[in-house]
Amino acid sequence: ACGSAPFRIADFQEVLGEPTVALAKLRDLCFSGIPFDGGLRCLCWKILLNYLPLEKALWSSLLKKQRDLYSQFLKEMIIQPGIAKANLGVSREDVTLEDHPLNPNPDSRWNTYFKDNEVLLQIDKDVRRLYPDMAFFQRPTDYPCLLILDPQNEFETLRKRVEQTTLKSQTVARNRSGVTNVSSPLKTTPNSLSEYEVLPNGCEAHWEVVERILFIYAKLNPGIAYVQGMNEIVGPLYYTFATDPNSEWKEHAEADTFFCFTNLMAEIRDNFIKSLDDSQCGITYKMEKVYSTLKEKDVELYLKLQEQNIKPQFFAFRWLTLLLSQEFLLPDVIRIWDSLFADDKRFDFLLLVCCAMLTLIRDQLLEGDFTLNMRLLQDYPISDVHLILKKAKELQDSK
């Protein structure tokens, strides 16, 4: 049931053509893979991730409202602090000690500013490495954010903040190592800033857009802020929306990705929160569930893994937390996500996909020793996701 045969596209168009989208029908169709044609996938994901309501009449006003709200976030969380920081250099005399960047008071807004920089550096490191085998994230976007790139705006952009924070921390690190003569801070090590050429002013790469989305998410969700791996969740969403064949949707890929990512994180954020590890909603519980499901479906394989002391956290932690985004090539990840987002019990189907992945290499696992089997699970050998999804569906139906 894959490939976007014309009749499947017609089925989607029919369901999406109704004044109120029939969610159950839509889920059914999406579960077998959504055609890319005509922006169908982007639209379906927005519905499945509860960004767009089922009543089509509400779409345009809702989109306008959310996109305006996102611009507001950019102004409040990136532009205004950036302007304040840029103005410091200009108007030295009217800066009261109260609000001076060096003010040690923990409530000073500069304290927040510098704390944010630590989060920003972590995000920056992670988004520059998104899908290194694809040029997409390094390429300039056709729709650079005008608010951010407006030459009228003299403010410290995220790009500048990263450069300055990196230089400062390198200078400090060098000083600490007892070298008093700091060599030119611009000659940074190859794996830092110069790792990717930053595009000229007026352009921004897709990874910079993703960085902004994650930074704003971190600011709005201080309880979880940013945890490594979130970049792997936002990447496929942004890629899908930023390659939408429909240009008036594609233009708003940043804002739409932000809200879909926020909704998706609301469902999976428990996986990222360490303190919840052992609770019913935490990741440990889900990993155990992969094994108990395997025990039901293939007891011999289950016992073999137990006997070799291969714990689910050795591989299933990454599979579950990152929704398999690290195990397959991006187009295949996107196909898996069609099924995951369409699953009305949400990520129950993910557990079955993990089980299917285990049972499909059962012969190798039954023969292998600990080291060999760990290698198989850490670097999964089967790349045909259709085979995996078909197997997962069989497991689901054999209940």
Side-chain angles (χ1 to χ4, degrees):
C2 50
S4 39
F7 66 86
R8 292 208 63 226
I9 293 178
D11 290 344
F12 275 92
Q13 285 166 338
E14 188 185 335
V15 172
L16 294 166
E18 296 292 322
T20 302
V21 176
L23 188 58
K25 264 192 202 155
L26 185 69
R27 282 190 194 283
D28 257 2
L29 284 174
C30 295
F31 186 79
S32 315
I34 309 169
F36 173 74
D37 315 66
L40 284 174
R41 174 176 280 126
C42 307
L43 182 54
C44 291
W45 278 18
K46 285 169 181 147
I47 297 170
L48 295 173
L49 292 171
N50 304 314
Y51 177 44
L52 286 178
L54 299 176
E55 293 77 34
K56 276 174 67 178
L58 304 174
W59 286 1
S60 58
S61 61
L62 175 114
L63 287 170
K64 182 173 175 353
K65 192 178 109 226
Q66 295 301 90
R67 289 160 179 175
D68 289 348
L69 178 61
Y70 187 74
S71 297
Q72 206 42 51
F73 292 156
L74 290 179
K75 285 178 193 153
E76 277 169 37
M77 287 167 224
I78 295 180
I79 296 174
Q80 281 161 8
I83 290 175
K85 183 78 166 49
N87 284 346
L88 267 177
V90 189
S91 51
R92 268 267 124 58
E93 61 285 354
D94 59 4
V95 177
T96 56
L97 181 66
E98 202 36 52
D99 209 17
H100 192 278
L102 299 175
N103 176 2
N105 174 359
D107 302 331
S108 152
R109 75 177 152 154
W110 294 114
N111 203 30
T112 316
Y113 189 86
F114 295 123
K115 271 220 167 55
D116 289 348
N117 282 352
E118 289 166 30
V119 176
L120 179 59
L121 272 192
Q122 181 61 58
I123 294 175
D124 188 77
K125 224 169 53 214
D126 295 343
V127 293
R128 284 170 186 252
R129 293 195 294 247
L130 269 178
Y131 292 96
D133 48 336
M134 287 176 57
F136 173 80
F137 285 97
Q138 306 310 321
R139 288 209 185 107
T141 163
D142 299 337
Y143 300 101
C145 176
L146 301 176
L147 264 179
I148 295 287
L149 296 178
D150 179 1
Q152 297 300 307
N153 266 344
E154 272 304 308
F155 77 95
E156 191 171 53
T157 56
L158 292 187
R159 190 190 277 188
K160 279 210 193 86
R161 282 175 75 164
V162 168
E163 283 167 19
Q164 293 183 344
T165 312
T166 310
L167 294 178
K168 196 158 51 197
S169 59
Q170 278 166 347
T171 312
V172 168
R174 285 209 195 89
N175 283 343
R176 286 213 182 109
S177 66
V179 182
T180 40
N181 181 12
V182 176
S183 63
S184 155
L186 292 169
K187 292 199 172 70
T188 54
T189 44
N191 62 352
S192 69
L193 283 174
S194 47
E195 187 174 24
Y196 290 118
E197 286 300 297
V198 171
L199 294 171
N201 282 338
C203 302
E204 47 180 3
H206 289 295
W207 66 263
E208 293 185 89
V209 181
V210 175
E211 175 166 278
R212 216 167 26 236
I213 293 169
L214 287 166
F215 182 71
I216 291 198
Y217 179 82
K219 291 282 290 167
L220 286 171
N221 297 276
I224 182 169
Y226 171 75
V227 180
Q228 210 168 5
M230 288 181 185
N231 54 316
E232 309 295 352
I233 300 287
V234 79
L237 287 176
Y238 175 73
Y239 174 81
T240 299
F241 295 165
T243 54
D244 191 327
N246 180 340
S247 61
E248 67 244 41
W249 288 83
K250 182 172 162 178
E251 188 180 340
H252 297 285
E254 181 176 349
D256 292 349
T257 301
F258 172 79
F259 290 107
C260 288
F261 172 68
T262 300
N263 291 356
L264 178 55
M265 280 304 297
E267 300 187 35
I268 63 170
R269 59 182 282 171
D270 295 349
N271 295 348
F272 287 90
I273 299 177
K274 286 275 180 292
S275 60
L276 284 175
D277 276 1
D278 300 317
S279 66
Q280 285 288 302
C281 51
I283 187 73
T284 308
Y285 173 74
K286 290 181 182 134
M287 291 190 293
E288 295 302 334
K289 195 105 165 46
V290 170
Y291 266 23
S292 58
T293 311
L294 180 66
K295 188 177 177 182
E296 247 170 69
K297 307 287 184 189
D298 188 340
V299 72
E300 186 187 358
L301 180 55
Y302 167 78
L303 291 171
K304 174 75 179 185
L305 295 175
Q306 286 289 52
E307 169 201 323
Q308 289 188 349
N309 204 15
I310 293 182
K311 299 192 176 345
Q313 47 270 40
F314 297 160
F315 60 93
F317 179 79
R318 188 175 73 192
W319 292 4
L320 294 166
T321 305
L322 302 182
L323 306 181
L324 296 168
S325 62
Q326 288 288 279
E327 314 315 311
F328 303 100
L329 294 170
L330 187 57
D332 295 324
V333 171
I334 288 171
R335 169 62 193 90
I336 292 173
W337 285 16
D338 288 343
S339 296
L340 295 183
F341 296 164
D343 169 22
D344 61 343
K345 296 198 184 50
R346 261 338 191 209
F347 299 101
D348 277 11
F349 188 67
L350 178 57
L351 301 174
L352 293 167
V353 175
C354 295
C355 264
M357 286 168 69
L358 294 171
T359 54
L360 285 170
I361 55 169
R362 74 184 301 268
D363 296 351
Q364 289 152 279
L365 289 170
L366 290 171
E367 276 167 34
D369 60 4
F370 176 85
T371 315
L372 202 69
N373 286 347
M374 279 301 296
R375 197 171 310 142
L376 280 172
L377 296 168
Q378 293 279 325
D379 188 4
Y380 190 73
I382 297 177
S383 58
D384 180 353
V385 298
H386 296 288
L387 180 68
I388 295 166
L389 290 167
K390 196 172 144 228
K391 183 72 186 165
K393 183 84 181 98
E394 281 166 21
L395 294 174
Q396 189 181 44
D397 295 340
S398 72
K399 277 189 170 164

